[in-house]
Amino acid sequence: MSDSRTKLIETGAELIWQFGYTATSPRQVMAASGVGQGSFYHHFPAKTDLGAAAIAANARAIVEAAEAALAGPEPGLVRVRRYLLAERDALAGCKIGGLAYDRAVLDDPRLIEPIGDAFRQVAELLESALRDAQEAGAVRADLSAAEMATMAVSVVQGGYIVARARSDAGLLRQAASAAYALLDPNDGR
């Protein structure tokens, strides 16, 4: 991949994360990356071409972070805890979650599919760890691992929204901690 293409994708990913897809213009990406118009349009004939590459890059980052938290030889519940209670910049928001509200993203399969795929992959990783935890008797068995995985992804995404809306980064951690406690059938709460 050429240096200018890489710079454009990295810069586009950062700006789209900060401002959203619709509010990010090719001109902003060019200015912030230092890449000229000719090079921009050589690599990305349309804004959606850059958007697809930038959103896919942010989606990969989300999946890679989940893989890092949920992989390993530790018991399933330890891996789930590591994912739920991972340090996150709650006030910066999720790199892809906010894009699910952007009409231009929703209307273009090339833009929305990497987001849906990333959340599916994260849920599958969680489901595997939760299934391991259920088999060990460490997680409640009255819900399916898939249902609990969907809950965990939803708690993290909702935690970002509530934390940002109330300007309180601790709310994401509070929500994730409560979700973790609800998984354990032996929790004394």
Side-chain angles (χ1 to χ4, degrees):
M1 191 180 313
S2 76
D3 286 344
S4 59
R5 182 171 175 21
T6 300
K7 282 183 192 176
L8 289 166
I9 292 171
E10 290 172 354
T11 303
E14 184 70 24
L15 292 174
I16 289 169
W17 174 26
Q18 290 178 21
F19 303 110
Y21 173 75
T22 299
T24 300
S25 71
R27 185 178 312 272
Q28 290 170 306
V29 175
M30 286 183 270
S33 68
V35 174
Q37 184 174 350
S39 188
F40 179 94
Y41 287 106
H42 168 75
H43 295 295
F44 302 105
K47 176 183 174 179
T48 55
D49 297 318
L50 172 64
I55 290 169
N58 280 344
R60 275 191 306 278
I62 296 301
V63 172
E64 289 168 3
E67 286 171 339
L70 292 163
E74 299 91 350
L77 188 58
V78 170
R79 297 186 332 256
V80 171
R81 183 180 193 284
R82 189 167 51 219
Y83 170 79
L84 281 172
L85 302 182
E87 286 298 318
R88 294 177 172 92
D89 186 351
L91 298 182
C94 176
K95 289 186 174 201
I96 59 172
L99 296 173
Y101 294 96
D102 189 319
R103 178 52 49 199
V105 172
L106 290 169
D107 289 343
D108 190 327
R110 288 180 34 203
L111 301 177
I112 194 64
E113 284 175 7
I115 297 167
D117 286 345
F119 288 138
R120 179 190 49 75
Q121 290 176 56
V122 171
E124 287 172 355
L125 291 163
L126 277 160
E127 182 178 350
S128 177
L130 286 160
R131 196 173 303 109
D132 290 349
Q134 282 179 320
E135 289 170 5
V139 169
R140 56 188 297 168
D142 59 328
L143 296 172
S144 75
E147 290 171 321
M148 291 185 288
T150 298
M151 178 207 59
V153 171
S154 300
V155 164
V156 170
Q157 288 305 305
Y160 276 119
I161 292 168
V162 172
R164 290 185 81 183
R166 293 186 47 199
S167 297
D168 184 349
L171 294 174
L172 171 54
R173 185 144 184 105
Q174 183 181 359
S177 294
Y180 176 75
L182 291 171
L183 294 172
D184 186 350
N186 303 312
D187 190 300
R189 289 186 185 213

